[in-house]
Amino acid sequence: MMKAALLTAAVALYMLHQDFWFWRTAYPLVFGFLPVGLFYHGVYTVTVSGLMWMLVKFSWPSHLESNLPSEKDSRL
């Protein structure tokens, strides 16, 4: 269930990245100085970073980590 929700969120965020609605204008200004398109991409970046954290935490294949050498086995 969690993997399906994460996949749905990834597809939705991919579609939201194509923000054609802010292409033609820099107004309204957010906080009085920040163009709305730049603000949108800032919020989008923070949201995608959170999704990537969730993907790594909940969907990372554990078998990839099982073959790592321990610290005492590795020699320089």
Side-chain angles (χ1 to χ4, degrees), residues 10-75:
V11 169
L13 283 174
Y14 177 76
M15 289 163 67
L16 284 173
H17 188 255
Q18 313 305 320
D19 64 333
F20 58 87
W21 49 86
F22 292 136
W23 281 2
R24 292 191 174 93
T25 183
Y27 293 98
L29 294 177
V30 181
F31 304 123
F33 66 92
L34 192 61
V36 68
L38 185 59
F39 177 75
Y40 178 82
H41 277 285
V43 171
Y44 177 82
T45 301
V46 170
T47 305
V48 168
S49 296
L51 176 66
M52 288 301 296
W53 175 79
M54 289 178 64
L55 284 168
V56 169
K57 180 154 179 73
F58 298 113
S59 296
W60 190 264
S62 61
H63 71 276
L64 295 177
E65 303 294 330
S66 63
N67 294 333
L68 291 177
S70 65
E71 289 183 22
K72 61 183 175 183
D73 291 340
S74 62
R75 296 184 182 148

